[in-house]
Amino acid sequence: MKLVLTSLLLVSLVLSSSFLQYSATADPPQPPVAPGPAGYCDVKCGERCGKAGYMKRCLKYCGICCQECKCVPSGTYGNKSECPCYKDKLNSKGEPKCP
């Protein structure tokens, strides 16, 4: 009897963990965002800064650049040629301002 209860408990744990893992990794579909000042920049900068080491700083400067340039390059790094205004912005030290 103990063997049956133990094996039933073990099977229950395995099944429940697989359901939890599936529900935690499934992403709900995102609605399309119309280009607009806040929503557009939030989404695009979230994608651009997705792998940044300093997420808050990346989002801050990306948001500033997006508001001024009305565009954000695709991907998490590079591709600045897609948005010349974004590429040409410099900080007070003469370094690129936009991430």
Side-chain angles (χ1 to χ4, degrees):
M1 184 68 172
K2 285 184 180 182
L3 182 60
V4 172
L5 288 174
T6 305
S7 58
L8 183 60
L9 180 63
L10 183 62
V11 169
S12 298
L13 284 173
V14 170
L15 288 175
S16 64
S17 67
S18 65
F19 288 129
L20 288 175
Q21 184 179 18
Y22 175 74
S23 64
T25 58
D27 292 333
Q30 298 293 326
V33 176
Y40 173 79
C41 290
D42 290 345
V43 170
K44 288 299 213 175
C45 288
E47 292 171 6
R48 181 81 178 167
C49 297
K51 294 182 179 179
Y54 297 99
M55 180 75 74
K56 282 186 177 181
R57 184 169 59 183
C58 182
L59 289 171
K60 175 185 174 183
Y61 289 109
C62 181
I64 291 169
C65 295
C66 178
Q67 291 292 325
E68 294 176 14
C69 297
K70 307 289 189 251
C71 64
V72 176
S74 61
T76 57
Y77 184 80
N79 302 324
K80 289 187 178 182
S81 61
E82 295 175 3
C83 185
C85 169
Y86 193 95
K87 174 184 69 175
D88 296 336
K89 289 220 165 290
L90 302 175
N91 64 16
S92 59
K93 296 177 183 177
E95 299 169 344
K97 180 176 188 173
C98 306

